[in-house]
Amino acid sequence: MNDLTISMPPHIIIFPSPIEWPVTTMFDLAELLCISGLHVTFLLTPYTDDLLLHHFHVESRLNPYPNFHLYTISDGLPSDHPRSDSMELLEYMEALTKPIFRDVLTLERLSSDERGLVNCIISDGFMTFVYDVAKEIQVPVISALSLSPCSIWILSNLPNLTDAGEDSNSMIEGNTNLIIKHIPGIDGILTGDDLASMCQSRDLTDPSKKHLRKQMKELSRAHGLILNTFKALDGPILSRISSMYPNLYPIGPIHTHLWVRQEAQRMTPLLNYSIEENNNCIIWLESQQPKSVLYVNIENQAKLKWVQTRELWHGLVNSGTRFLWVRQPEAIEGRVPPKILKGTKERGCVVGSASNVQVLAHKAIGGFLTCGQWDSIIQGVVEGVPTICCPSSLDQEFNSRFVSKVWKIGLDVEWRWEKNAIEKMIRDVMGSKGELIENASKLKILARKSVRKGGSSYAMLDHLIGDIRFMHNGL
């Protein structure tokens, strides 16, 4: 390494997975590193490029950062491929995107006189092919995970759940109400019902289970893990995870951390959301009373069955609460009673898309109903909004149990997708004045404190940047 290379700032590649929810958080992370003086190349596929354009004006976001560069590569799939199954998509990328990614790096297409060679790759931890390519060119990888710490810890202990003896055998054979005792640190929080079928199965040849085990095992190849959380929220679990993955960088909440660093640089935070419907729903919220609206955003709507949509809809209207509901248009004529449609028109606002960050920060929002995706949970924590979780996939179930049983900032529908249960939970959250509100308010304060100077996440970001510079200098 020559003196000129050492004198240049480190050049980082950030490569998000082609799934909707991690992309915007990874973009926030890229901005954070740019503010810190690093050169960043944000690597996109055509699909993730479209996702970014859907959420905000990319060019406006890039204007303050001459050291931020976008680069799009093919994922190897035809343009008309639906790309809807995330696990299938990651498998395709292993076969099709890997050689394209290797060519881009080995031919030094991302280098320039201003940026120099790539010194570090920050990628989604589940894109395991990145480790292989990085090893070939001798560049360290830091994984950025969109999962919560509790999900990472539980999934890392999957072998304990299916191989650990009598209790797990009973669980697998049908006694799924048993408390799981084979994961240190979460006694009394999970039962067998909280695990997806692939976790309950003892069939080690199950493709989903094999793939998930491989992904978790591959994390050990990373130099470290970037997590979108903070010590006051997840300290005990972070201590557990560090026994398996020593280099942890809990720097969240990342979107709030970005605002703080922009403020310190006298920069105006640029949200620039390009969603017209988002503006319309903000206008509607302006006409509502403080804390009077329930925000409903079930992010993975494609997996929501019609019977669940129907029960949720009845629960919303029957609760008498005003609500803002993000849901994609679909044919509903003849499927919903006129009374429900009338109640929706009177008390609800239904839009196709909206910005969680902007909506949750609005003074009219008094509650948040979500599927329990981690980025959504952490966004609700930042704003101190009590939460109702309606999980429908593996990590969402874990997050939901922690919301209700550990942090006690919300309620968990669990398996009760029934209109009366949902109605009661909505009434309880929107009318809550005790523990839920107090706990949510405390975590809001702690979340914001963590990203300011002297806070744990602030220090961890400095530690991450210091480690990247250390790698760059080859010391």
Side-chain angles (χ1 to χ4, degrees), residues 36-73:
S36 302
L38 308 184
H39 282 292
V40 174
T41 296
F42 199 80
L43 201 59
L44 295 164
T45 63
Y47 181 67
T48 48
D49 193 7
D50 289 342
L51 286 176
L52 280 185
L53 291 174
H54 174 74
H55 284 286
F56 47 73
H57 297 291
V58 175
E59 290 185 5
S60 298
R61 289 280 293 264
L62 292 180
N63 279 340
Y65 310 110
N67 52 338
F68 197 140
H69 179 65
L70 293 178
Y71 192 95
T72 302
I73 66 171

Side-chain angles (χ1 to χ4, degrees), residues 34 36 45 67 95 134 144 186 188 203 210-211 242 265 281 285-286 293 301 325 335 375 439 468:
C34 283
S36 302
T45 63
N67 52 338
I186 63 163
D203 181 7
K210 286 177 67 176
H211 187 65
S242 64
Q265 296 291 323
C281 72
L285 287 173
E286 288 294 323
V293 176
Q301 295 172 35
W325 188 6
R335 305 182 77 181
D375 282 354
N439 292 338
I468 292 173

Side-chain angles (χ1 to χ4, degrees), residues 135-152:
K135 184 178 180 180
E136 291 177 24
I137 62 172
Q138 297 184 322
V139 171
V141 176
I142 299 175
S143 289
L145 295 177
S146 57
L147 295 177
S148 63
C150 65
S151 295
I152 295 168

Side-chain angles (χ1 to χ4, degrees), residues 353-369:
S353 54
S355 158
N356 275 2
V357 172
Q358 283 188 304
V359 171
L360 288 169
H362 199 281
K363 64 179 185 294
I365 299 299
F368 183 24
L369 192 152

Side-chain angles (χ1 to χ4, degrees), residues 182-214:
H182 298 293
I183 303 179
I186 63 163
D187 289 352
I189 298 172
L190 298 180
T191 68
D193 274 320
D194 298 325
L195 301 177
S197 58
M198 66 177 174
C199 296
Q200 294 176 9
S201 170
R202 292 181 63 82
D203 181 7
L204 300 181
T205 64
D206 180 276
S208 298
K209 188 170 185 177
K210 286 177 67 176
H211 187 65
L212 186 57
R213 280 193 170 191
K214 177 189 175 184

Side-chain angles (χ1 to χ4, degrees), residues 281-282 284-286 288-296 322-325 355-369 380 383-386 429-430 437:
C281 72
I282 294 297
W284 182 81
L285 287 173
E286 288 294 323
Q288 308 304 314
Q289 294 297 314
K291 306 294 184 184
S292 66
V293 176
L294 177 73
Y295 176 46
V296 184
R322 303 190 73 80
F323 60 92
L324 170 63
W325 188 6
S355 158
N356 275 2
V357 172
Q358 283 188 304
V359 171
L360 288 169
H362 199 281
K363 64 179 185 294
I365 299 299
F368 183 24
L369 192 152
E383 300 302 335
V385 179
V429 163
M430 296 303 293
I437 294 292

Side-chain angles (χ1 to χ4, degrees), residues 275-289:
I275 307 168
E276 182 178 348
E277 285 182 291
N278 185 70
N279 297 329
N280 293 338
C281 72
I282 294 297
I283 292 172
W284 182 81
L285 287 173
E286 288 294 323
S287 66
Q288 308 304 314
Q289 294 297 314

